[in-house]
Amino acid sequence: MSHVLSAVAWPYANGPRHIGHVSGFGVPSDVFSRYQRMAGNDVLMISGTDEHGTPILVEAEKEGVGPRELADRYNRVIVEDLVALGLSYDLFTRTTTRNHYAVVQELFRGVHGNGYMIEQTTHGAISPSTGRTLPDRYIEGTCPKCGYASARGDQCDNCGSQLDPEELINPRSRINGETPKFIETEHFFLDLPALAPAMGEWLQTRTDWRPNVLKFATNLLDDVRPRAMTRDIDWGIPVPLPGWQDNPNKRLYVWFDAVVGYLSAAVEWARRTGDPEAWKRWWAADAGATSYYFMGKDNITFHAQIWPAELLAYNGEGTKGGEPGPLGKLALPTEVVSSEFLTMEGRKFSSSQRVVIYVRDFLSRYDADALRYFVAVAGPESTDTDFTWSEFVRRNNDELVAGWGNLVNRSISMAAKNFGSVPVPSSLTAEDSALLDSVRGAFDTVGSLIATHRQKAAITEAMRVVGEANKYLSDQAPWKIKEPERRDRLATILYVALQAVSDLNTLLTPFLPHAAQKIHELLGGQGVHAPMPEIREVEDLDGGPGYPVIMGDYTVGARWEHVELPAGRPLSAPKPVFKKLDPSVVDEELARLAS
């Protein structure tokens, strides 16, 4: 058994999340985590809502509420949506807990104590109309290096260059379009140049990363410079140093704070489960655990450069040396698993321009597994992908309903009608054995593909075997067997089909957990096949306000292996597992988008 950390990007709590968000961080991480648990590994899947920074203040002001009230509201919305989607977090928490504050401040003290936080005078951007700090990501302009017109104040997404806002040509606020004012201010900077050699050595060992991620991360080292880790803002985690701690207008940068959440969430999970030191099984550098970070490509910089640099600095592994702090030497990421972007009907998702469908709205009209299937089979795994309603309906109807759902329904209904239970097979023909061998062989193939983050290929292979099973049934045509003397053959065909359905259901469980539980029960199974997350209302461990978390018991459920289906198990006439969508859905949804 191995220890596997699934570190899932933290959704920002300034509004509900849309299906583009969960296609990048949500579904891929859950498929991976469910598979790893089924394969017998000890998985810790963690995340939470990211609740600090200027965007929270901007939205709170717009809605006429305080930042904590806004964060409370959208934290609960996001928690409910992720549970409805079936994302099996061991802990989904938030960045406003006192536990998180303590762990973040410990990381900062350790990095500072080892000499990798340097104090510098710099120019900060403020809004002339409000006097409020403008975060780098809220400033846009032309890249001075490649000429890209929509470069952000922290980096250019076109050429990958790290930038400072004042370097942009014709900078403007993304909030209101005004030209920012730059003023002198004191901040702490993470000394990335002192960490670059260690970063380069580490990246050279990451040979199995997706090529685009590794290339992007490596290119960041070509233009490395110190990066500000504090901000002029009154909403966030205080800087834990004399002269800074009590300054109401200086806070840690939200991106220093947020990535530490992967560690603080593990610490909180351990405390909540009664073994406060258990987090070290996934985090101690000498524990031998593996860690996988799931996000969209716009966050590669923070997970492939900033977070590893913070860890190296805390460990004292840069050119300035140093010693690990009280948390001990911490493990760097095994892999940064970045997805590309999902667009919608040819356009970039935009809440302000109403090019969006929120997770909650989607799940109010369609099944969670229909969305999970689309993301897995047609999502932005390695290239930008366009979500269209016509393709969603086609995938649902032609593949889920007519392919997998049809196999399940006709196999179980014929067995229930003719035998009332899983029939007893007689001797197998070559065709029978060929199908069963193909299904059993898929465990290694599909499992290996999921383990190496090739989920599109994995579910495509599983569905290919579904097609084999459907062809087997059509070729054998059990519905044509009427003669009493051929009843043994009828029993054998239906047993082979049911055994194939049972194993295929296991293969598809990481992708379609809701359907998998239903099919398990249709096959006469009892108990939990695909464990589900649940919302738990908890108190802050250190005296702060209570909040909802996502947790679950994932020690139960199916294992990643062939299991013989017991003959004689009672069966009932099945109900359809998937819903066929009327083609008119396409026009209805496009009308909603246009309204």
Side-chain angles (χ1 to χ4, degrees):
M1 179 182 70
S2 300
H3 288 88
V4 178
L5 178 70
S6 288
V8 188
W10 291 56
Y12 202 60
N14 64 334
R17 298 299 87 186
H18 57 63
I19 63 171
H21 292 130
V22 296
S23 71
F25 73 82
V27 174
S29 60
D30 189 61
V31 170
F32 178 79
S33 299
R34 285 181 178 274
Y35 161 72
Q36 291 289 353
R37 292 189 191 106
M38 292 173 72
N41 293 319
D42 196 351
V43 174
L44 184 61
M45 179 177 168
I46 49 170
S47 187
T49 44
D50 181 3
E51 301 179 2
H52 294 127
T54 299
I56 292 284
L57 290 172
V58 171
E59 185 63 28
E61 185 175 273
K62 185 189 303 183
E63 298 190 21
V65 298
R68 176 70 194 220
E69 183 180 344
L70 182 93
D72 285 347
R73 183 198 312 160
Y74 288 122
N75 163 262
R76 187 170 293 277
V77 168
I78 292 168
V79 162
E80 291 173 352
D81 289 352
L82 299 185
V83 166
L85 198 52
L87 305 187
S88 56
Y89 291 98
D90 291 278
L91 179 67
F92 185 92
T93 178
R94 59 193 304 185
T95 60
T96 47
T97 69
R98 293 187 180 182
N99 172 82
H100 178 70
Y101 273 47
V103 176
V104 169
Q105 290 180 327
E106 167 52 33
L107 257 289
F108 183 91
R109 282 191 293 266
V111 172
H112 179 266
N114 282 336
Y116 298 100
M117 279 292 176
I118 51 179
E119 191 173 350
Q120 292 184 354
T121 300
T122 185
H123 287 92
I126 63 169
S127 165
S129 61
T130 68
R132 178 174 291 153
T133 300
L134 283 172
D136 298 347
R137 285 194 152 202
Y138 269 60
I139 302 172
E140 198 170 69
T142 301
C143 176
K145 299 186 179 181
C146 73
Y148 180 57
S150 298
R152 297 195 310 261
D154 57 353
Q155 71 181 53
C156 174
D157 287 337
N158 184 57
C159 67
S161 297
Q162 181 181 338
L163 301 171
D164 289 324
E166 56 189 326
E167 294 181 273
L168 293 173
I169 301 169
N170 298 322
R172 58 192 176 276
S173 166
R174 292 176 60 195
I175 298 173
N176 57 17
E178 66 185 0
T179 301
K181 178 182 178 182
F182 294 96
I183 61 170
E184 281 196 352
T185 183
E186 295 292 321
H187 283 299
F188 279 104
F189 285 69
L190 181 62
D191 193 356
L192 289 173
L195 297 159
M199 286 282 296
E201 291 178 13
W202 170 67
L203 284 172
Q204 287 176 7
T205 68
R206 305 295 93 194
T207 55
D208 54 354
W209 283 21
R210 289 176 177 169
N212 62 317
V213 180
L214 184 58
K215 181 180 179 181
F216 190 97
T218 303
N219 287 345
L220 290 173
L221 296 177
D222 294 339
D223 183 32
V224 70
R225 65 184 78 176
R227 185 148 187 169
M229 289 294 140
T230 56
R231 286 290 187 269
D232 294 308
I233 191 173
D234 59 1
W235 173 245
I237 299 178
V239 182
L241 294 175
W244 291 72
Q245 178 86 39
D246 298 325
N247 186 332
N249 297 312
K250 295 286 187 182
R251 293 292 184 266
L252 293 175
Y253 179 33
V254 66
W255 268 109
F256 181 90
D257 144 24
V259 290
V260 180
Y262 300 118
L263 176 59
S264 69
V267 172
E268 181 183 346
W269 169 85
R271 295 176 67 191
R272 289 199 179 281
T273 53
D275 184 0
E277 300 298 307
W279 64 271
K280 294 180 179 178
R281 297 199 290 268
W282 289 269
W283 273 103
D286 59 358
T290 53
S291 56
Y292 301 89
Y293 290 70
F294 295 86
M295 78 220 62
K297 66 179 178 181
D298 55 333
N299 287 335
I300 293 176
T301 297
F302 303 102
H303 293 83
Q305 183 189 58
I306 302 301
W307 180 225
E310 290 178 24
L311 292 167
L312 287 166
Y314 186 82
N315 292 343
E317 296 181 293
T319 59
K320 297 178 179 179
E323 296 292 333
L327 296 172
K329 187 176 179 180
L330 301 171
L332 272 67
T334 301
E335 185 170 358
V336 173
V337 187
S338 167
S339 298
E340 302 295 300
F341 288 150
L342 187 73
T343 55
M344 185 173 184
E345 298 290 349
R347 292 183 286 173
K348 184 178 179 180
F349 276 97
S350 171
S351 299
S352 61
Q353 298 178 29
R354 299 181 64 82
V355 184
V356 69
I357 178 165
Y358 295 113
V359 173
R360 176 158 301 198
D361 293 338
F362 191 102
L363 297 183
S364 72
R365 301 194 287 275
Y366 310 104
D367 290 341
D369 281 357
L371 176 57
R372 291 177 65 110
Y373 180 77
F374 183 91
V375 170
V377 78
E381 182 176 275
S382 55
T383 58
D384 289 351
T385 302
D386 193 38
F387 176 92
T388 66
W389 285 107
S390 59
E391 181 67 358
F392 170 71
V393 171
R394 186 192 72 78
R395 293 276 187 181
N396 181 84
N397 291 353
D398 294 355
E399 297 172 14
L400 275 186
V401 177
W404 177 222
N406 182 46
L407 175 65
V408 171
N409 190 69
R410 60 178 178 163
S411 298
I412 297 175
S413 62
M414 283 189 288
K417 178 181 177 181
N418 288 280
F419 297 96
S421 62
V422 177
V424 178
S426 56
S427 57
L428 301 181
T429 66
E431 291 82 0
D432 301 337
S433 297
L435 176 61
L436 294 176
D437 289 345
S438 182
V439 176
R440 290 172 189 168
F443 279 97
D444 287 341
T445 306
V446 175
S448 177
L449 289 168
I450 297 175
T452 53
H453 312 293
R454 298 174 61 195
Q455 294 182 10
K456 188 176 294 188
I459 197 166
T460 298
E461 174 62 14
M463 292 299 286
R464 184 191 67 78
V465 182
V466 168
E468 281 188 24
N470 269 318
K471 184 177 185 302
Y472 166 85
L473 265 186
S474 296
D475 291 346
Q476 299 301 315
W479 51 87
K480 294 182 179 179
I481 299 177
K482 308 294 184 182
E483 305 88 344
E485 63 271 19
R486 296 193 64 206
R487 190 167 175 80
D488 284 351
R489 181 60 192 152
L490 175 63
T492 302
I493 294 169
L494 293 178
Y495 177 84
V496 169
L498 290 172
Q499 180 65 65
V501 167
S502 179
D503 283 345
L504 283 164
N505 192 45
T506 301
L507 289 167
L508 289 166
T509 294
F511 302 98
L512 310 171
H514 303 88
Q517 182 66 40
K518 293 177 183 177
I519 294 168
H520 170 71
E521 293 168 5
L522 289 175
L523 288 167
Q526 298 185 357
V528 176
H529 175 87
M532 287 294 169
E534 61 187 36
I535 300 173
R536 300 178 187 175
E537 302 292 336
V538 300
E539 295 299 321
D540 187 289
L541 292 168
D542 302 296
Y547 52 97
V549 298
I550 304 175
M551 299 184 78
D553 178 10
Y554 310 116
T555 60
V556 295
R559 293 295 174 256
W560 194 258
E561 60 189 7
H562 159 76
V563 175
E564 288 290 335
L565 191 63
R569 178 187 282 177
L571 297 174
S572 301
K575 297 179 180 179
V577 177
F578 304 106
K579 298 174 185 176
K580 185 174 182 179
L581 301 176
D582 191 284
S584 63
V585 160
V586 176
D587 290 337
E588 292 170 3
E589 293 294 352
L590 290 175
R592 283 193 183 96
L593 192 60
S595 64

